[in-house]
Amino acid sequence: MANIDFSKRDSFGSKFGVIAAAAGSAIGLGNIWRFPYVAGENGGAAFLLVYLFFILVIGLPVMLSEFTIGRRARLNPFGAFKKLSPGKPWYLVGFMGVVAAFVILAFYGTVAGWTLEYIANALTNSFEGKSATQLETMFSDFKDSTFRPIMWQLIFMVLTAFIVLAGVKNGIEKYTKILMPILLVLIIVLCIRSVTLPGASKGLEFLFNPDFSKLNANSILEALGQAFFSLSIGMGTLITYGSYIPKSNNLSNTALQVSLADTLIAILAGIAIFPAVFAFDIAPGSGPGLVYITLPNIFQQMPGGSIFAVMFFLLLTVAALTSSISVLEVVVAYFSEELKIKRKSATWLATGLITAIGVLCTMSWGVLKDVSFTFSATETDMATGGEKMYIFDILDFAASNVFLPLGGLFIVLFVGWAMHRKNVHNEISNAGKFRTILLPIFMFIVKIIAPIAIALVFLNGIGLLNF
Ligand code: PFF
């Protein structure tokens, strides 16, 4: 470690650049594809409330903890823990993050590939005149096939690798600053179309009128997992990005702004999707295909819908790319700084290995559909024989509901108990430059509240504790 030359390390160019990169990582398929389908499967509004609570009480402190560790150490997660706590096994948390990055990017590439297919569908005007049932069949036929989903996944992974190779500052940082605001505008347009559909109010009720009887231990864990996934926390992505943040940046403000932006986009995605779900009589618990069925339905009901469709799926791909590069960066930074593999080879090696696992995810419903197991979270599940989980669902569940919460637990414990308080204070106050009245509250949360909350939700969710 002693031979790392810190003066050569890349860093973000400006304050806005930091926000763009971190928000670019946070805002992605997790907000627009994953949030609506997981909320739909877990009862809607009650889930949303628990989710918001977790973002505020757990997500935000974990995010600030990651920035603090990263900027203090100026290293990849594995190296950062080793540097800040030499001779102790904390580096294993960094290692777990690298494993989580493999798992997440594997299935993320599958879904990003679907998005590319939908750009092609939009360009060829394939949604026009189709009923909700036909659009459902169109999606499931595509997802169950072999060649096209894999082809799109490979294209997406190669794009991710190219951007990571080009460096973040001059590539993605420049474009996201322009493209993310356009995505926001498009989602707002979709929200307006969706809430003005006949029968839309049922969807808004589903999203905003809580029915707590729909929550169970597993759905609370799902809300925690979704908060971690959406904020890109719990696996060291923001430790890695934190290591590129200039010393002058106010980390608390950055964490707050990124979390707010991320939450706003998730809620807007919910407003765009649920009214349409009910207007077109689609089941809210339809699973991972939800947005690929509901949104084409909206597009074909809009004047100029095909243009909106192309733009939307294109921008969703961009949002996915700004997230996938941050996941790949974790592995590449680890391979290059710890295993001393050259950055270029490290990028291709990581991309190749992750894509190999990713192809298994993509084939989950096709060639590999017999590799599945049945999961029963509730009594209804047990009565109906349970929910079938394929390779894709297993990796999605393991990453979001196991790896990320566990990673987050150790990250807050590290900042609360293992790091020198003076170092934490220095990072958050920029060596005393900012007044940090909230610091004692932050310390109390990371020392006690967040670890206990994560542990309880986790143990309860996997059935080891029963409340
Ligand atoms: N936050 C991203 C999204 O919502 O799409 C996904 C993600 C990126 C998860 C980076 C985890 C991560 F480390």
Side-chain angles (χ1 to χ4, degrees), residues 166-443:
V168 175
K169 202 187 317 187
N170 296 323
I172 209 72
E173 194 182 314
K174 205 162 85 191
Y175 293 106
T176 37
K177 284 184 204 169
I178 311 163
L179 294 172
M180 296 306 261
I182 304 181
L183 180 70
L184 177 68
V185 173
L186 265 190
I187 293 188
I188 293 174
V189 172
L190 282 179
C191 285
I192 296 172
R193 175 65 274 214
S194 188
V195 297
T196 50
L197 287 167
S201 59
K202 264 204 202 139
L204 292 176
E205 208 171 288
F206 179 78
L207 186 62
F208 293 117
N209 193 4
D211 172 0
F212 287 99
S213 68
K214 288 192 179 143
L215 285 182
N216 57 45
N218 186 60
S219 51
I220 294 173
L221 177 61
E222 287 278 357
L224 185 71
Q226 174 60 24
F228 274 82
F229 185 84
S230 191
L231 292 177
S232 301
I233 54 176
M235 53 170 265
T237 299
L238 298 184
I239 294 181
T240 313
Y241 272 20
S243 75
Y244 307 133
I245 296 182
K247 283 287 179 200
S248 58
N249 192 276
N250 183 339
L251 296 181
S252 322
N253 278 354
T254 303
L256 190 64
Q257 286 160 356
V258 171
S259 307
L260 278 178
D262 188 68
T263 307
L264 176 75
I265 301 277
I267 294 178
L268 287 176
I271 298 178
I273 282 149
F274 287 114
V277 163
F278 286 86
F280 301 121
D281 208 15
I282 296 163
S286 301
L290 193 64
V291 290
Y292 299 91
I293 300 162
T294 44
L295 291 185
N297 253 316
I298 307 187
F299 290 127
Q300 62 160 340
Q301 308 246 335
M302 288 166 73
S306 58
I307 298 168
F308 277 114
V310 175
M311 278 180 70
F312 178 81
F313 287 115
L314 205 62
L315 290 171
L316 188 55
T317 305
V318 173
L321 269 173
T322 57
S323 300
S324 61
I325 55 165
S326 71
V327 187
L328 186 60
E329 181 65 31
V330 173
V331 184
V332 172
Y334 169 73
F335 278 3
S336 63
E337 289 178 350
E338 301 302 317
L339 307 184
K340 308 282 179 258
I341 302 174
K342 283 212 179 72
R343 219 185 130 88
K344 193 169 167 193
S345 322
T347 307
W348 288 117
L349 179 65
T351 307
L353 292 173
I354 292 169
T355 310
I357 308 172
V359 167
L360 300 179
C361 284
T362 304
M363 292 192 297
S364 288
W365 303 270
V367 186
L368 295 177
K369 68 171 179 302
D370 292 327
V371 189
S372 71
F373 84 95
T374 308
F375 176 75
S376 300
T378 60
E379 277 168 23
T380 339
D381 276 351
M382 283 171 210
T384 55
E387 187 195 339
K388 215 169 184 186
M389 288 183 86
Y390 298 96
I391 299 178
F392 177 95
D393 306 297
I394 296 166
L395 292 198
D396 181 339
F397 183 90
S400 306
N401 299 355
V402 181
F403 281 112
L404 298 186
L406 278 185
L409 174 65
F410 289 118
I411 286 166
V412 281
L413 284 175
F414 184 77
V415 171
W417 300 96
M419 251 177 106
H420 291 300
R421 196 187 160 103
K422 208 178 95 229
N423 288 345
V424 177
H425 196 279
N426 267 338
E427 284 308 321
I428 293 178
S429 71
N430 286 11
K433 225 171 101 203
F434 305 125
R435 284 196 336 130
T436 44
I437 357 166
L438 294 179
L439 193 75
I441 300 179
F442 170 73
M443 288 311 290

Side-chain angles (χ1 to χ4, degrees), residues 28-30 32-34 36-37 107-119 121 127 131-132 134-140 142-143 273 277 282 286-299 312-313 316-317 320 392:
L29 297 171
I32 295 163
W33 155 72
R34 199 175 190 280
Y37 103 72
F107 72 81
Y108 209 77
T110 303
V111 183
W114 297 347
T115 311
L116 289 175
E117 166 82 3
Y118 271 64
I119 299 179
N121 284 342
F127 310 134
S131 66
Q134 284 170 321
L135 287 168
E136 274 184 276
T137 313
M138 177 176 161
F139 177 73
S140 58
F142 160 68
K143 177 183 70 141
I273 282 149
V277 163
I282 296 163
S286 301
L290 193 64
V291 290
Y292 299 91
I293 300 162
T294 44
L295 291 185
N297 253 316
I298 307 187
F299 290 127
F312 178 81
F313 287 115
L316 188 55
T317 305
F392 177 95

